[in-house]
Amino acid sequence: MKIWTEADHQRNALSGQTIAVIGYGSQGRAHARNLKDAGHDVVIGARRSGGSWKKAGDDGFRVAEPAEAAAQAGLIALLTPDMAQAQVYGQIESSIQPGAALLFAHGFNIHFGSIQPRADIDVIMVAPKGPGDLVRRQYEEGRGVPCLRAIAQDATDQAADKALSYAHGIGGTRGGVIDTSFQEETETDLFGEQVVLCGGTAELVIQGFETLVEAGYQPEVAYFECLHELKLIVDLLHEGGMAKMYEFISDTAAYGDLTRGPRIIDAGTRERMREVLSEIQSGRFARDWILENQAGLPQHRALMRQRTEHEIERVGRALRGRMSWLKPKADQSDNAAEKAA
């Protein structure tokens, strides 16, 4: 497997071209600021009536309506939320110059066919493996978040070079760039979110918490054991894999892990993982999510309200309020939880 680094970036395929970043959220703002610091000419595409217009202007960027921004650019990074991208593409399609590149940070809309780009443009992806805040912080510290690169359409025979130059501009070649496909990135990303990183982890935490509380243990103690300490383990895994975790946890914890863990996550769990993967591969999840958006998100809102009103969240807010070192982040997350409720 080839990992592309700074040493591999010999020519800036975006030299002299304007990059339009459409969408100024977590990823969009990070990408735009990194690209600007790397010497690229960046224009932000945003609605004049939206909050992003002022935010991007305050950050020192030229700002234009999406179609106007796209018309100026040799590369258009479409970084709005997944469910907004098809509509935005419809608004900018006629403004995109022949031979320009349309870039995504996630393959959802291309892979599942919600967007079918014109044949005379490059369609590429650079997907940082981290949130926008991390992409920016790592860049400022002289490091970079690893990225995935994919080419869905190469109209100019330069699509791969453009993608690598974009990855280089946001710091990706510092962390390493790995080639993939829109299909592989989309399906593995959705699977990871649903089965392990978000869905699996959140449900495991909640089920563990409820089991202890149901057995008569204090909710505060259950919170510490099932949620608060999770970060300590994840940090060890992130830094050095399983080996580092086993090096730093107790022998008692390791023995419990090795002998009891497989009773919790077992062959039945694996089979359900395969079912979820199958729904992703078949397009069922994508259809469900698109229909949910078209219906106004009734199920999503109801489930989110149920989750944010769970006892573990009420207990957690109270405990985090006493943790001065967490307060800035806790305030942000707790405010978001209150809005969702």
Side-chain angles (χ1 to χ4, degrees):
M1 177 187 66
K2 170 70 175 176
I3 298 180
W4 303 86
T5 66
E6 289 185 292
D8 297 304
H9 186 251
Q10 301 295 328
R11 181 181 70 87
N12 183 4
L14 300 175
S15 178
Q17 300 185 37
T18 296
I19 298 175
V21 175
I22 299 180
Y24 204 65
S26 173
Q27 288 287 347
R29 188 177 188 223
H31 289 213
R33 295 171 80 188
N34 289 5
L35 290 164
K36 182 180 179 182
D37 287 352
H40 291 281
D41 178 46
V42 180
V43 59
I44 305 301
R47 290 179 292 109
R48 188 179 294 273
S49 59
S52 293
W53 184 284
K54 182 178 186 306
K55 190 172 187 178
D58 290 344
D59 284 343
F61 288 101
R62 292 184 293 116
V63 190
E65 291 285 343
E68 181 185 346
Q72 304 175 31
L75 184 147
I76 301 97
L78 188 51
L79 303 179
T80 58
D82 288 338
M83 290 301 102
Q85 287 184 359
Q87 181 181 9
V88 174
Y89 177 73
Q91 295 169 353
I92 69 173
E93 181 178 34
S94 61
S95 300
I96 300 175
Q97 303 172 20
L102 180 65
L103 178 141
F104 297 84
H106 178 41
F108 188 98
N109 282 289
I110 295 297
H111 177 53
F112 292 117
S114 297
I115 294 176
Q116 298 183 8
R118 282 173 17 204
D120 63 345
I121 62 175
D122 295 328
V123 181
I124 59 181
M125 177 174 60
V126 173
K129 302 314 293 177
D133 179 63
L134 184 64
V135 171
R136 179 57 179 167
R137 281 190 287 111
Q138 289 286 290
Y139 186 92
E140 290 180 308
E141 294 170 6
R143 297 190 291 267
V145 172
C147 293
L148 300 180
R149 175 181 70 165
I151 312 301
Q153 191 167 282
D154 188 1
T156 65
D157 293 328
Q158 299 182 54
D161 290 339
K162 292 177 183 178
L164 187 62
S165 290
Y166 185 95
H168 183 76
I170 64 172
T173 52
R174 298 174 181 176
V177 178
I178 297 174
D179 285 325
T180 184
S181 65
F182 272 69
Q183 176 184 0
E184 183 176 61
E185 186 279 334
T186 302
E187 294 177 354
T188 57
D189 186 77
L190 293 175
F191 179 83
E193 291 170 349
Q194 295 171 25
V195 171
V196 180
L197 304 176
C198 302
T201 298
E203 198 61 36
L204 188 65
V205 166
I206 288 173
Q207 293 291 341
F209 174 86
E210 290 181 347
T211 299
L212 288 178
V213 173
E214 179 184 66
Y217 298 102
Q218 296 179 76
E220 293 79 7
V221 174
Y223 174 87
F224 279 121
E225 293 300 331
C226 296
L227 191 154
H228 179 79
E229 292 191 42
L230 183 64
K231 182 183 186 302
L232 307 178
I233 301 302
V234 170
D235 284 349
L236 292 173
L237 291 169
H238 185 263
E239 293 166 8
M242 299 285 183
K244 185 164 185 177
M245 180 187 73
Y246 290 128
E247 179 184 354
F248 283 90
I249 65 176
S250 69
D251 290 341
T252 303
Y255 178 74
D257 164 345
L258 297 168
T259 61
R260 269 60 176 179
R263 290 166 56 183
I264 304 302
I265 308 298
D266 58 11
T269 308
R270 174 70 68 84
E271 185 55 39
R272 290 187 292 276
M273 288 181 174
R274 293 190 182 105
E275 291 174 2
V276 170
L277 179 57
S278 177
E279 291 176 0
I280 292 169
Q281 293 170 328
S282 70
R284 176 179 170 180
F285 171 77
R287 290 191 296 272
D288 288 349
W289 180 223
I290 291 169
L291 289 173
E292 175 72 10
N293 275 267
Q294 292 174 347
L297 300 173
Q299 183 183 33
H300 181 272
R301 295 182 190 281
L303 291 173
M304 184 63 76
R305 185 176 298 109
Q306 181 182 6
R307 179 60 59 86
T308 56
E309 291 176 352
H310 192 280
E311 183 181 10
I312 196 172
E313 285 292 271
R314 296 197 298 273
V315 171
R317 280 194 289 273
L319 290 174
R320 290 191 297 272
R322 295 176 174 271
M323 302 176 193
S324 59
W325 65 94
L326 292 179
K327 191 155 182 50
K329 292 183 179 179
D331 287 345
Q332 295 171 10
S333 59
D334 292 345
N335 289 339
E338 290 171 5
K339 291 178 182 179

